[in-house]
Amino acid sequence: MTSELLRQANGVAAEAKASGALVPLKTSLTHLMGEGGTSFELRHLLSATPKHLRAAGPKPNPFLPWDQRLEVERIGDSHVVILNKYPVQSAHMLLITQTWQPQTGWLSLDDWRALALVDATTTGLWFFNSGPNAGASQPHRHLQLLPRAAGEPICARQDWFRRCAADPTALAGDPLFRSSRVAPLTSPLTGETLHRIYLSLAGELGLGSPSNDSCPRGAYNLLLSRQWMAIVRRQTEGIRGFSVNALGFAGSLLSTAESDREWIQRSGPEALLRAVVEAV
């Protein structure tokens, strides 16, 4: 059943696209076979590279103020749901803070409470990129949501996350597992529970804690479904012309004209992921 928020998002998207406020990116889609039969999505960007993905040049804050034509719904006094201006997938939403909060800071209890309010009716794959080395495109705090229908797979690598959550020793020999922590979740999700698990996983990865550190000690990606939460510690933003954010660990990669697609076809998608994580 389509949630009211998702219906609102689709309605706002239609109007925003007509006005030019929403600029969907054109891509071509191929699949890469990963380990264990995982089929990664590789989308190749056909549109001009948007400003937020360019390495050079000024990057004004698009969230302060945010474009009212992209607004879907206010979440209390602290957050607002808006559409991603440059989506690759439809109904790609951002949960942003209404006032300035740094992307590189700790996610707060207010952030998690706002996420839980949204997820109660509109769920899917949530993800967060903690800073430039984790693939963050903007320094203003924003969590991202790709909605999923009932029964639809959360992501291509969902079985990997499920195995990690169910048995932390099952993938002990996997280099990606050594850079990750995954915890099982049970519904209903609450902001307090999510905040507690987030801080626990961050501590296990050596990222520190808000009581001792003004911001996490390293870059990381966070991925979340109703069944599990995962944090991946990052070392670098990308290699061989590929920029990797949290979606890469979900099994969705993006290439541009600068990307060495022959290398990834030859080496496999996990080789890219292993090259950008920091082993703990």
Side-chain angles (χ1 to χ4, degrees):
M1 182 175 180
T2 303
S3 74
E4 180 59 30
L5 184 67
L6 187 52
R7 280 193 291 267
Q8 287 177 229
N10 288 330
V12 171
E15 294 182 5
K17 187 175 180 180
S19 71
L22 187 71
V23 186
L25 299 180
K26 296 180 180 179
T27 61
S28 61
L29 175 64
T30 58
H31 289 87
L32 297 174
M33 189 55 63
E35 297 168 0
T38 301
S39 180
F40 279 69
E41 293 182 346
L42 177 60
R43 296 178 186 272
H44 184 67
L45 185 62
L46 302 176
S47 307
T49 304
K51 292 179 181 179
H52 74 281
L53 292 179
R54 296 174 190 167
K59 295 182 179 181
N61 187 349
F63 303 147
L64 199 63
W66 61 90
D67 189 335
Q68 299 293 315
R69 298 171 296 175
L70 299 175
E71 181 178 319
V72 178
E73 185 173 308
R74 305 280 177 105
I75 309 297
D77 296 326
S78 60
H79 292 74
V80 59
V81 175
I82 67 173
L83 294 174
N84 181 359
K85 181 178 180 66
Y86 300 104
V88 172
Q89 302 178 46
S90 63
H92 182 169
M93 289 181 265
L94 309 179
L95 178 64
I96 70 171
T97 53
Q98 292 188 31
T99 59
W100 165 257
Q101 295 294 334
Q103 189 77 353
T104 53
W106 292 101
L107 291 175
S108 69
L109 180 55
D110 282 345
D111 293 325
W112 288 110
R113 284 173 171 164
L115 184 152
L117 282 172
V118 174
D119 193 81
T121 61
T122 305
T123 193
L125 176 67
W126 289 92
F127 63 98
F128 177 78
N129 311 309
S130 76
N133 279 353
S137 59
Q138 301 294 341
H140 185 123
R141 187 167 304 166
H142 59 289
L143 294 108
Q144 305 189 53
L145 171 63
L146 292 174
R148 298 287 187 258
E152 184 180 3
I154 287 293
C155 65
R157 297 186 73 237
Q158 66 177 9
D159 288 342
W160 189 90
F161 291 109
R162 286 173 176 167
R163 290 200 304 273
C164 291
D167 182 4
T169 66
L171 298 170
D174 185 338
L176 289 178
F177 180 78
R178 293 199 295 272
S179 305
S180 310
R181 294 295 183 273
V182 187
L185 299 176
T186 56
S187 295
L189 304 181
T190 68
E192 288 74 11
T193 297
L194 293 171
H195 189 229
R196 175 180 55 79
I197 294 174
Y198 159 69
L199 294 179
S200 176
L201 295 180
E204 290 179 22
L205 278 175
L207 293 170
S209 68
S211 58
N212 297 318
D213 306 281
S214 59
C215 60
R217 297 176 187 173
Y220 67 92
N221 294 121
L222 183 143
L223 300 101
L224 176 76
S225 74
R226 284 184 176 174
Q227 288 75 45
W228 45 263
M229 180 191 296
I231 295 182
V232 183
R233 185 154 180 170
R234 293 291 299 275
Q235 177 173 252
T236 187
E237 183 263 351
I239 63 164
R240 292 184 175 267
F242 287 93
S243 175
V244 180
N245 66 12
L247 288 183
F249 298 93
S252 297
L253 301 168
L254 183 69
S255 64
T256 66
E258 289 74 36
S259 304
D260 189 347
R261 286 186 288 168
E262 290 186 1
W263 172 82
I264 200 170
Q265 290 278 1
R266 183 174 64 252
S267 303
E270 281 90 359
L272 174 60
L273 300 184
R274 289 168 183 150
V276 300
V277 297
E278 182 174 359
V280 177

